[in-house]
Amino acid sequence: MGGTWYWNRYPGARCDSESFYYCYSFSEELEQEWEWSSKYPEQPEILRYLEHVADRFDLRRDITFETRVVEARFDDETGFWEVVTEPGERFLTRFLVTAVGCLSAANVPEIAGLERFRGEWFHTGAWPKEGVDFKGKRVGLIGTGSTGIQATPVIARQARHLTVFQRTANYSVPARNAPLTPERAKEIKANYAEIHRRTRESQAGFPYFPVERSALEVSEERRQEIYEQIWQEGGFKFLWGTFNDILRDREANATASEFIRGKIREIVKDPGTAELLCPTDHPYGSKRPPIDTDYFETYNRDNVSLVDIRSSPIVEITEDGLRTEEAEYPLDTIVFATGFDAMTGSLLKIDIRGEGGLSLRDKWAEGPRTYLGLQIAGFPNLFTITGPGSPSVLVNMPVAIEHHVDWISDCIEHMAEEGALRIEATPEAEDAWVEHSNEVALETLYYDARSWYLGVNIPGKPRVFMPYAGGQPLYREQCQAVVDEGYRGFELRG
Ligand code: NAP
């Protein structure tokens, strides 16, 4: 139970969106009775919330745990999907809805020698339930994405020594986590309807008021004032609540990127370490921006060191540690905070076959292609929740997920009313959507980074910008227009 919040129980794991909008919106009773402890709850609290939802709505009786789906085949004659699980059990279903997660297929890089390492190693996305004891240990952590940035300060407080192996320096903004006071909780509960409305109408699923100003239309003094004020507030607001062109205009972006570099230089006492931590090879926000609690401050500790594996790459893992081109690092524990085969990885782990035995792996060999991120031509009655081609990971996830769940439920209900048994995206609609998605992505700065959005983190993965970058309002408008025009671009058959 809990999916990503079950597996990602690494030290420091907490939500990067605030609790009161990183939650379900379908039940007023649920939102009134649940008490969030803080702005950014930790993983155990989110997992408790998800367990509570399952119990409260009596969902467990409909869930089969410990069941890995390995195959799903569409039968042209019967119009049913046959789903096969690891022990070989078979299920027939008319509709197949995948909710396998955008960031669930862990990426453990192939580094020579891992099998002979005598210490322990872990990937943050498959963290042991019983936890890991770092006390007295020399720990090596690889990866400085959102996960590595959350884990670093917490592991540093426990370990004898922590060495962070950094390939790409990352921008991070303080979370400024704090307990939710009873007054604030009361205010939130009184305003949930409005909060949810704003999350659905905003670009990225956050209830911030939209900003209309460009970073280039205000004076330098005013710009710094705005950055400083929102830096003090903390969180994703730095990307979405400062100026409206940070992700669209390189010059505008440069002002935000430089502001953050200035903060890193201010916080980190050793100038060499500070410089190494300053990202210079991509604009802020072109990779998923992390938010942190004391990340940069942690490099001021005596028991923490930073190793640049961009200039001196990892060569191998030895019996006793890790060797880069320049030096050897004795380690007791290695933590891989190396991310995921994002958006397509967990779908393609399943052998999915559509019409005429068409394999999804073959169809997506050059990168994912979908219609609205909801369906794939050649795969009737298969729906993909937050699939590639939908805003998914560019939007606060529960908001994106609920939109898809509602759209798919309405579609299946519509089919029942019409007596339709089969729905399939047409190849023309899919082509047009892929073209439109590429166009809107090109209007952003997302191509300026080597990110998992583009599949660059996985060797050999096609370089395609996978989420829909047109923003939530435009996306929702198009999904609704498709429905209003009788499921335009889909073929429905009785
Ligand atoms: P990630 O963003 O993909 O970061 C992986 C890190 O590992 C990067 O620093 C990457 O370096 C490095 N890396 C990967 N392969 C490597 C290799 N072979 N050698 C050396 N370094 C390597 O993964 P993540 O930090 O797990 O985050 C993934 C996503 O999960 C986030 O972007 C976010 O959407 C989500 N997330 C959310 C939360 C939250 O809301 N609480 C928390 C954590 C994660 P390069 O940059 O050079 O590739």
Side-chain angles (χ1 to χ4, degrees):
M1 180 63 67
T4 210
W5 294 107
Y6 175 91
W7 293 106
N8 286 269
R9 49 181 83 218
Y10 57 85
R14 66 169 74 238
C15 191
D16 281 351
S17 297
E18 290 178 68
S19 48
F20 68 95
Y21 52 86
Y22 191 88
C23 57
Y24 294 113
S25 72
F26 65 83
S27 163
E28 239 174 79
E29 293 79 19
L30 171 66
E31 62 199 20
Q32 291 305 319
E33 72 196 16
W34 184 261
E35 303 291 342
W36 290 111
S37 69
S38 58
K39 264 175 94 172
Y40 298 103
E42 283 187 287
Q43 173 270 337
E45 186 172 347
I46 302 174
L47 185 56
R48 271 201 307 281
Y49 171 75
L50 295 170
E51 286 171 341
H52 169 75
V53 172
D55 293 332
R56 196 191 184 289
F57 297 97
D58 196 15
L59 304 179
R60 285 184 197 262
R61 65 194 169 104
D62 291 325
I63 304 177
T64 309
F65 291 100
E66 306 286 340
T67 306
R68 183 175 296 278
V69 171
V70 286
E71 242 180 87
R73 290 173 186 277
F74 182 72
D75 184 327
D76 292 312
E77 266 169 41
T78 61
F80 274 83
W81 280 91
E82 185 180 53
V83 177
V84 185
T85 65
E86 201 156 58
E89 217 180 335
R90 290 165 191 274
F91 297 83
L92 288 183
T93 175
R94 181 160 310 275
F95 296 103
L96 179 58
V97 180
T98 64
V100 287
C102 297
L103 294 153
S104 301
N107 166 42
V108 178
E110 278 182 26
I111 303 175
L114 181 58
E115 69 295 340
R116 62 172 187 255
F117 181 55
R118 285 190 299 207
E120 290 185 305
W121 67 266
F122 307 94
H123 186 280
T124 50
W127 203 256
K129 218 171 171 178
E130 60 283 7
V132 176
D133 187 4
F134 293 108
K135 227 179 296 146
K137 300 272 170 68
R138 296 160 304 175
V139 182
L141 180 143
I142 307 175
T144 50
S146 299
T147 301
I149 280 178
Q150 286 187 339
T152 292
V154 185
I155 297 177
R157 288 199 293 273
Q158 299 168 8
R160 168 142 65 102
H161 191 90
L162 172 66
T163 308
V164 177
F165 296 91
Q166 172 188 277
R167 188 164 69 181
T168 308
N170 214 335
Y171 300 94
S172 185
V173 171
R176 312 270 181 223
N177 187 34
L180 276 187
T181 60
E183 298 73 43
R184 179 72 179 126
K186 204 169 150 200
E187 187 191 332
I188 289 168
K189 287 190 178 185
N191 285 297
Y192 260 124
E194 174 64 9
I195 291 165
H196 294 317
R197 187 186 63 74
R198 291 218 303 262
T199 60
R200 293 185 196 116
E201 290 177 2
S202 69
Q203 276 300 103
F206 302 117
Y208 312 142
F209 288 105
V211 281
E212 301 300 342
R213 60 184 173 225
S214 154
L216 304 176
E217 74 186 28
V218 297
S219 68
E220 170 67 10
E221 197 187 349
R222 178 76 186 121
R223 197 163 48 225
Q224 295 303 316
E225 202 177 270
I226 290 167
Y227 283 143
E228 183 61 37
Q229 184 199 333
I230 296 189
W231 176 271
Q232 293 309 331
E233 250 184 76
F236 279 143
K237 206 170 180 182
F238 198 85
L239 182 64
W240 296 109
T242 47
F243 300 103
N244 66 2
D245 48 359
I246 297 212
L247 271 177
R248 301 190 164 265
D249 185 298
R250 287 196 183 90
E251 204 184 331
N253 185 291
T255 64
S257 298
E258 187 50 33
F259 180 89
I260 300 176
R261 283 191 290 267
K263 286 292 181 189
I264 298 171
R265 293 180 184 119
E266 241 172 71
I267 298 168
V268 180
K269 293 195 179 116
D270 174 60
T273 306
E275 244 11 79
L276 210 50
L277 286 166
C278 281
T280 50
D281 66 347
H282 66 283
Y284 167 63
S286 57
K287 287 185 161 195
R288 169 18 173 106
I291 65 171
D292 72 272
T293 302
D294 295 337
Y295 175 64
F296 294 116
E297 288 80 351
T298 296
Y299 291 95
N300 294 332
R301 294 176 66 103
D302 293 336
N303 71 333
V304 175
S305 41
L306 179 66
V307 172
D308 176 14
I309 51 169
R310 172 63 62 82
S311 64
S312 172
I314 297 173
V315 177
E316 61 170 351
I317 291 174
T318 63
E319 285 184 353
D320 304 314
L322 187 154
R323 196 164 67 77
T324 67
E325 278 180 5
E326 264 171 17
E328 195 157 345
Y329 299 88
L331 300 169
D332 304 304
T333 311
I334 300 177
V335 175
F336 289 95
T338 42
F340 303 90
D341 182 354
M343 303 217 54
T344 55
S346 36
L347 267 177
L348 295 181
K349 271 187 177 175
I350 305 171
D351 186 9
I352 300 179
R353 307 267 170 167
E355 271 167 328
L358 173 66
S359 138
L360 187 61
R361 289 175 190 153
D362 289 344
K363 163 139 188 174
W364 283 3
E366 304 297 317
R369 303 179 65 78
T370 69
Y371 182 35
L372 301 171
L374 279 161
Q375 266 223 338
I376 305 156
F379 295 79
N381 291 4
L382 171 73
F383 295 98
T384 49
I385 292 182
T386 63
S390 77
S392 58
V393 292
L394 299 181
V395 169
N396 176 25
M397 286 306 285
V399 181
I401 291 169
E402 282 192 332
H403 176 235
H404 270 189
V405 170
D406 287 344
W407 196 98
I408 294 165
S409 311
D410 291 348
C411 174
I412 293 176
E413 209 172 290
H414 170 80
M415 290 175 69
E417 282 162 10
E418 299 285 309
L421 297 175
R422 184 165 162 157
I423 180 165
E424 185 179 357
T426 66
E428 298 74 28
E430 184 177 87
D431 289 348
W433 185 253
V434 170
E435 197 179 321
H436 167 67
S437 300
N438 289 339
E439 273 166 21
V440 292
L442 281 168
E443 286 167 18
T444 68
L445 302 184
Y446 286 125
Y447 284 100
D448 287 13
R450 297 171 51 78
S451 69
W452 59 256
Y453 292 150
L454 278 158
V456 184
N457 62 326
I458 303 296
K461 190 167 173 170
R463 196 173 293 194
V464 169
F465 189 78
M466 294 180 286
Y468 176 74
Q472 212 195 183
L474 181 60
Y475 177 72
R476 283 187 181 233
E477 200 182 294
Q478 294 181 88
C479 288
Q480 190 54 47
V482 162
V483 174
D484 295 344
E485 292 166 38
Y487 287 87
R488 171 174 39 85
F490 289 99
E491 199 184 324
L492 276 88
R493 279 193 253 163

